[in-house]
Amino acid sequence: MKTMWKIIWKKVFTLGLLSISVMSWANDHKLTLENCHLGEIRSQVKCGKLEVPENYQKPNGDKIAVNFAVLPAIDDSEYKAPLMFLAGGPGQAAVELATVLNRVFSEVRKTRDIILVDQRGTGKSSALSCEFEAVDSVYSTLSDALDPQEVKDCVSQFKGDVTQYNSENAIRDFDAIRAALGHEKLNIYGGSYGTRAGLVFMRMFPDSLETVILDSVGPIEVPIGLFGQSGARSFNLLLENCKKSAPCHKAFPNLAQEFQAVKARLTKEPVSIDILHPRLGTPTKLVIDNIKFTGNLRFQLYGMEGRSMVPLVIHQAFLGNYQPLTGLMARTEGEQLVYTGLLFNIICNEDIPRLSVADKAADANNNFDGKDSHLAWELVCPFFPEYRPSEDFYQSVTADIPTLILSGNLDPVTPPSNGEFSAKTLPNSHHIIVENASHTVAMSTCASDIVNEFLTSKDPKALDESCLKDIPQESFMTSVNGIQ
Amino acid sequence: MIQFKALLLKEYRETFRDKRALMVALGFAFFAPIMIMGMAKIMIEKLVDEPPVYVKFTGAEFAPKLMLHLADNNLLNFVDVPEDEKTTWEKRNIAIEIPADYAKNMAEGKPIKLHLQADFTDKAVKPPVRRINSAIREFSLSIGYKRLLLRGVDVRLLNPVKLVEQDTAEPNATFILISMMLGIYLMLAAFMSGLSVAIDSSAGERERNVLEMLLCQPVSTLKIVLAKLIGASTIAFIGVVLVLVLTSLSVGFVDLTKIGATFSLDMSTAIFLMLLLLPICFLASACQLFVAFQTKSFKEAQSTVGMLIGIPAFIPFVVSMMDDRPEWLDWLPISGQSLIIESVFKGVDVNWLAVFATSGVTIAITAALVLALAKKLKSEKVVMALS
């Protein structure tokens, strides 16, 4: 289930949407826009809904209300085309990320509106949500314990025609919101799956786009869903970097062997130990098998802070101490990072059917988590209603729009080679690979400043990239008490 | 009508003849935007800028990670101080001592004490110390969080309650400091700019015997007073317009977005403000003429009027400082206009009843003053300054 959503580490300390002022949602108006408070943003912003057809082929059929927010430009004395954020996942609700995005894009917001849209099927736009796991059992359940009946029950709960909750319709919604807000052109920033959405946007509505930023690319050419090779690459880079760093190598001289040893041990027999529930403080069981172990490590590979703890976690697990691993699991316990219904609906229909047996076998041939990342798709996809996008959907995108492509070298799901696909087909693009960064680089590095510069200059090849060189090499924790 | 036109023409001639005096009179209007910009700049620097701080560390080598964290917050080692700032930081003399057993205690999980020494009565020391404090607290917390996390504790437990502030101001409300100051300056401009003209055309003309000559002409005293009023209030109004125009021009030189604020004055707002302040300009000039005629000499007029204008000009300042405002303030001249200006900048709906009420009251008072003055000018006492 660990797919391309990005971890926002700060989310540990924040809770998404807190409140929205009362909205007068009248049926005879297609668009509503009201002042509201969002997340932890101090000042008021605008919250809106736009009524769109569920099926664009049947404009008079059922309607859905697409929820969105506008973080208004602080200085609006001069009009500049706004920036629309396309969320990852698929299944992240952009509006729920308002607090983080308001900080990351603070420079952009000084002169531009930032538009956040809950993609249909997420957030407050007719969310397709399934609670696959009972909230307090992440510690005691195993990843393959999913009951097919549970999936079936969940899918049957979805209202409306689920097959209309696809990428192309989502883009039609986004463009409709652009038009409804009266903007001739948009800039779009897509992160992770948001880059896939961005590429579809570029193909369907090239005239609506002024510039495009694709951060950690999921190109049309690479089906989403196989993360074995990319995860292993990211993990092996971590092992290498630990070896290169003197304190890390000194503390964990046999890290690679220890990892394989723990994995082998857990494959043979899952560990079951009594722990205190990390949050409740009451006795509970912790059950770990190799899939859960590597799955949780994989999740840490998405961000630099998580990565810094991985060597220590492996070493302690090797010594038989699973407390550090438990603490990592607790970071996101009980939090809904993505709307899983939409996640599976899109990946199971738009990407998984394109994978051959040979593709899967090649991806599974790695020394990190083998074919574990395919497990969720195999378990869940058979139960989702089928739809197939048009043939156009799978054509490489060649739109002549200024495009900035960003990749993090350490990324476990969208490696720099992904970005190369889009860099090759997009005529006016430039690909920046950030050496010491992981997934969605603009979220955690000064690449956000480069994005801001790009929005103004619109020339992807002549940007000041010097600040990226100051990003430090990854460093690691070497003791459970912290370091000098 | 011809008489009145001639009188008005005479007033304008008198006013615009001395260009230098006129420039001085309007000097206040030129000065206002500079003041506003200066204040805003200082404020922004205080709020956002984090200039480098140089600290004398002993034992820096024991805590490389801490030193890195401090450097990230622009808190630097004194050994790296640039030559031109050396004396400043030598004088501030902020010292931090890192114990030799820092690394050992960190690894063993024992509490570590760093000692910061500085002269806390020195005002310049306070902001750096505050920054050092918060940087070290942040560093300490982040290690504490990780220590607990690695012991299998849900670190969210450390934040049981969080207060989220939600500002209910309109999203397009302008930066409070600038709008408050601009409101006060507009009012001051109305009172200050026409001041010298009003005194000159009343007490001044009396001393130059021009007034007596005017009164000998077969024109009504009302016309004379009205001509003088219009002459003085024209200059007052020019002052108001200048403050508005210059402020909206110069505000572009300060990056208010740094502190998440903005200031823009569109045409319709500017015109509304001008119309709102027009009656105030008349009121100010009427007051000044009235008081100046009561005095015995030009000198006395200068000091008395100069003092008196301080009182009305002070009202907007007081009003802006008041937390609970009684409702009758909406109706009075000056305070009413100040409150309306405030709501214009806050972006909230303007209370139109208050606009008409306060303008009405202002005009009524002005009219009363003009009539009273016209009557007084018929008396020898005022004309000869005998009273």
Side-chain angles (χ1 to χ4, degrees), chain A residues 37 42 44 74 333 481, chain B residues 107 147 151 156 165 167-168:
Chain A
H37 281 290
R42 195 165 184 271
Q44 291 200 71
I74 287 166
E333 179 254 349
N481 270 341
Chain B
R147 284 178 171 179
R151 284 163 178 76
R156 291 172 297 186
E165 292 183 359
D167 189 346
T168 54

Side-chain angles (χ1 to χ4, degrees), chain A residues 172-391:
Chain A
R172 292 188 182 101
D173 298 343
F174 295 165
D175 196 60
I177 286 171
R178 171 199 62 78
L181 289 174
H183 298 294
E184 198 192 324
K185 295 234 178 196
L186 282 181
N187 302 288
I188 53 173
Y189 167 94
S192 193
Y193 162 79
T195 61
R196 169 69 65 84
L199 287 161
V200 176
F201 208 148
M202 291 168 87
R203 180 173 55 77
M204 293 173 73
F205 302 103
D207 296 335
S208 301
L209 299 176
E210 196 164 273
T211 68
V212 176
I213 298 110
L214 304 175
D215 188 348
S216 306
V217 191
I220 306 283
E221 295 85 350
V222 182
I224 300 169
L226 299 181
F227 303 129
Q229 290 299 342
S230 55
R233 177 182 173 278
S234 169
F235 181 67
N236 289 327
L237 283 170
L238 181 140
L239 293 179
E240 260 173 54
N241 285 339
C242 175
K243 203 173 239 172
K244 272 191 254 169
S245 139
C248 189
H249 185 58
K250 186 168 162 244
F252 318 114
N254 303 313
L255 197 58
Q257 291 89 320
E258 286 179 3
F259 170 72
Q260 295 301 343
V262 175
K263 232 181 81 174
R265 207 192 293 160
L266 293 173
T267 312
K268 222 161 114 196
E269 194 185 357
V271 164
S272 173
I273 36 177
D274 294 317
I275 58 162
L276 294 181
H277 191 287
R279 178 168 48 83
L280 300 171
T282 49
T284 185
K285 271 241 167 332
L286 173 71
V287 184
I288 299 174
D289 63 1
N290 65 316
I291 297 176
K292 202 167 168 183
F293 178 64
T294 48
N296 275 292
L297 289 186
R298 155 189 289 285
F299 201 59
Q300 305 310 319
L301 298 177
Y302 280 68
M304 299 313 281
E305 181 139 21
R307 290 176 73 91
S308 74
M309 290 185 269
V310 166
L312 184 61
V313 171
I314 293 173
H315 180 64
Q316 290 297 320
F318 179 72
L319 299 177
N321 171 16
Y322 289 95
Q323 272 186 342
L325 185 70
T326 316
L328 287 181
M329 290 165 68
R331 291 210 306 186
T332 50
E333 179 254 349
E335 281 184 29
Q336 186 169 29
L337 295 175
V338 293
Y339 289 82
T340 37
L342 184 75
L343 166 78
F344 285 111
N345 192 45
I346 287 186
I347 303 294
C348 292
N349 283 302
E350 297 180 10
D351 291 279
I352 300 297
R354 295 162 65 200
L355 297 171
S356 67
V357 178
D359 290 339
K360 289 181 188 168
D363 187 66
N365 182 23
N366 68 74
N367 67 353
F368 179 57
D369 64 355
K371 63 178 180 56
D372 292 356
S373 66
H374 314 170
L375 186 70
W377 318 121
E378 283 165 11
L379 276 171
V380 176
C381 285
F383 303 103
F384 266 74
E386 249 181 55
Y387 70 85
R388 292 290 172 263
S390 61
E391 265 310 301

